[in-house]
């Protein structure tokens, strides 16, 4: 196994990646998180050879971490970047939010394999990321379960034979609710995802379908497929992880129990597959159902397609506005339905333009955050 660097080591993807690595007897050479925590100390103890980076240089746990880890720990975004540049590494990016973009670009410019959970990397900086991979010779392999599925359905096929990608969506906890019913939903209800256990932002995004919007844009950049050829179907059981339809009408799907450890492991071992204890899927235990998404109630999906088609700065603005809106929702400053309002207002307000480098993305991201925060403050 190549050296593994784990960014976002304390999150949902981070802990499941540590599980996969430990299960296979591999090692981790670098661990990064936003702030010092017991969990990060635990991860550093579990992988004693790993250098540790904490993104926030002003973190209050800094002293404690320094006394526990000495020269193994470093602080600030440059320290995270240095891990992403580790020679010959597979860099698992499990950072949440557009904050993950810079390390992704560094990993690709360094010629590394980027095992990508941080979908915001491709949403906010798609053209910049594709260019970085071409420049540095790095490769992107997806961890997001739908994209891992699409990727597995594409292996060995000719790209020219693809008619469309079909992303499945669980529909989240509020599937089939009306706008009136969504008016009063609580944070606890939104955080109660029916099939996946994930970090708070992506869980709320799954409830609004904004997560699926981000994934449509992610698929566009990952597989170089036009938005007209990317469809979404709601599939509440989350067993079919996504599908590819070919020009002859054949549809290839990847199926299994919802468990992120499979896509994480495949991203690390590709093109090999590692044996794990069998967990046989029982086809007779349940029905698989599929529905058209309700984009009138769940407006975020339509906003995402529109932002994707607009290209340039629009996806970065969409993502940044959502990061601010979800944080405000979690703080109970806005209601669930207002998340889409914040995104729409921000997309309407921030001037559209091209993104050619990280600085462009960072500028649009900052402007969108400012506009979104102002919109929210205006409602209070
Ligand atoms: P999470 O909130 O559980 O964890 C986020 C991690 O990122 C934490 O370790 C945090 O310390 C770290 N972090 C935040 N800012 C950072 C920074 N600037 N530098 C370094 N580390 C930083 O989130 P999660 O659910 O694990 O999701 C992570 C990413 O993976 C997201 O982009 C999400 O959309 C994607 N994803 C997650 C799942 C899942 O099952 N959790 C599935 C598919 C995709
Ligand atoms: Mg997903």
């Amino acid at each position: 196994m190549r050296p593994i660097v784990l960014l976002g080591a304390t999150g949902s993807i981070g802990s499941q990646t540590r599980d996969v690595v430990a299960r296979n007897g591999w090692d981790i050479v670098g661990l990064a998180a936003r702030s010092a925590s017991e969990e990060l100390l635990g991860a550093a103890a579990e992988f004693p050879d790993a250098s540790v980076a904490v993104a926030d240089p002003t973190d209050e746990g800094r002293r404690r971490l320094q006394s526990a880890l000495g020269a193994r720990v470093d602080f600030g975004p440059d320290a995270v970047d240095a891990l992403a540049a580790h020679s010959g590494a597979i860099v698992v990016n499990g950072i949440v939010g557009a904050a993950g973009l810079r390390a992704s670009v560094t990993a690709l410019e360094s010629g590394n394999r980027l095992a990508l959970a941080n979908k915001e990397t491709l949403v906010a900086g798609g053209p910049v990321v594709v260019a970085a991979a071409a420049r540095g010779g790095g490769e992107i392999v997806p961890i997001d379960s739908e994209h891992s599925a699409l990727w597995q359905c594409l292996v060995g096929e000719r790209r020219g034979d693809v008619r469309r990608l079909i992303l499945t969506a669980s529909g989240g906890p509020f599937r089939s609710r009306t706008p009136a019913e969504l008016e009063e939903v609580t944070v606890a209800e939104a955080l109660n995802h029916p099939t996946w256990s994930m970090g708070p932002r992506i869980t709320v995004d799954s409830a609004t379908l904004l997560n699926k919007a981000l994934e449509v844009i992610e698929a566009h950049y990952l597989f170089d497929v036009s938005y007209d050829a990317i469809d979404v179907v709601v599939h509440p059981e989350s067993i079919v992880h996504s599908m590819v339809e070919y020009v002859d009408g054949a549809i290839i799907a990847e199926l299994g129990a919802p468990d992120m450890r499979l896509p994480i492991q495949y991203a690390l071992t590709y093109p090999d597959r590692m044996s794990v204890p069998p967990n046989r899927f029982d086809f007779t235990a349940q029905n698989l159902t599929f529905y058209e998404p309700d984009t009138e109630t769940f407006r975020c999906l339509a906003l995402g397609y529109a932002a994707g088609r607009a290209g340039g700065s629009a996806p970065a603005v969409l993502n940044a506005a959502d990061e601010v809106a979800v944080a405000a929702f979690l703080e109970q400053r806005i209601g669930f339905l207002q998340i889409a309002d914040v995104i729409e207002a921000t997309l309407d307000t921030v001037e559209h333009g091209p993104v050619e480098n990280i600085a462009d993305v960072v500028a649009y991201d900052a402007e969108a955050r400012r506009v979104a925060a102002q919109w929210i403050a205006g409602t209070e």
Side-chain angles (χ1 to χ4, degrees), residues 28-54:
I28 292 181
V29 298
L31 294 160
R34 178 173 44 216
S35 47
S37 63
E38 283 307 317
E39 177 124 27
L40 184 59
L41 273 174
E46 189 184 355
F47 298 101
D49 297 334
S51 303
V52 177
V54 174

Side-chain angles (χ1 to χ4, degrees), residues 4-335:
I4 296 169
V5 169
L6 176 54
L7 312 178
T10 57
S12 161
I13 290 291
S15 63
Q16 293 180 89
T17 302
R18 285 188 272 126
D19 195 27
V20 168
V21 169
R23 176 170 86 181
N24 286 293
W26 301 325
D27 202 8
I28 292 181
V29 298
L31 294 160
R34 178 173 44 216
S35 47
S37 63
E38 283 307 317
E39 177 124 27
L40 184 59
L41 273 174
E46 189 184 355
F47 298 101
D49 297 334
S51 303
V52 177
V54 174
D56 180 359
T58 62
D59 190 72
E60 48 191 33
R62 182 177 177 131
R63 283 235 179 84
R64 184 144 175 261
L65 216 60
Q66 270 168 333
S67 67
L69 299 176
R72 275 178 72 197
V73 63
D74 201 358
F75 294 81
D78 287 347
V80 180
D81 244 24
L83 295 184
H86 187 102
S87 175
I90 300 179
V91 178
V92 177
N93 189 340
I95 294 174
V96 62
L101 172 65
R102 194 174 139 184
S104 286
V105 168
T106 300
L108 292 169
E109 282 177 338
S110 308
N112 285 333
R113 173 182 292 185
L114 175 63
L116 188 64
N118 179 262
K119 59 195 81 184
E120 297 88 344
T121 285
L122 284 166
V123 173
V128 178
V129 174
V130 170
R135 204 166 47 242
E139 67 174 334
I140 310 175
V141 296
I143 283 181
D144 210 349
S145 59
E146 295 77 1
H147 304 76
S148 176
L150 293 171
W151 187 40
Q152 294 178 62
C153 297
L154 287 164
V155 167
E157 299 287 345
R158 291 197 199 112
R159 290 302 165 91
D161 289 343
V162 172
R163 180 178 285 156
R164 61 177 178 138
L165 309 179
I166 307 162
L167 285 155
T168 53
S170 72
F174 305 139
R175 187 178 62 82
S176 71
R177 296 224 192 155
T178 63
E181 290 167 335
L182 290 175
E183 201 78 60
E184 300 300 328
V185 296
T186 64
V187 169
E189 288 173 300
L191 287 177
N192 187 20
H193 195 279
T195 48
W196 296 98
S197 164
M198 310 178 286
R201 188 216 171 186
I202 180 174
T203 305
V204 175
D205 284 348
S206 299
T208 60
L209 289 197
L210 191 276
N211 180 52
K212 212 47 58 179
L214 300 182
E215 292 186 350
V216 166
I217 299 170
E218 181 185 10
H220 167 77
Y221 285 112
L222 212 43
F223 303 115
D224 195 18
V225 170
S226 77
Y227 288 102
D228 291 342
I230 305 175
D231 288 337
V232 171
V233 63
V234 174
H235 168 50
E237 297 84 10
S238 300
I239 297 297
V240 175
H241 299 142
S242 280
M243 304 175 255
V244 177
E245 182 180 319
Y246 288 90
V247 286
D248 59 358
I251 298 175
I252 302 183
E254 192 264 333
L255 291 77
D259 182 346
M260 286 307 294
R261 289 174 304 177
L262 171 68
I264 290 169
Q265 178 171 288
Y266 188 58
L268 292 170
T269 62
Y270 170 83
D272 299 329
R273 288 185 182 272
M274 295 291 295
S275 174
V276 296
N279 181 12
R280 291 238 163 84
F281 183 70
D282 182 358
F283 281 93
T284 62
Q286 62 179 319
N287 293 317
L288 304 182
T289 57
F290 300 91
Y291 306 89
E292 192 75 29
D294 173 1
T295 51
E296 272 174 40
T297 306
F298 297 92
R299 288 161 49 220
C300 287
L301 184 56
L303 289 170
Y305 267 101
R309 288 193 166 103
S313 56
V317 169
L318 170 93
N319 175 68
D322 179 67
E323 288 193 36
V324 173
V326 169
F329 170 71
L330 291 172
E331 290 165 5
Q332 301 181 29
R333 294 173 57 210
I334 60 171

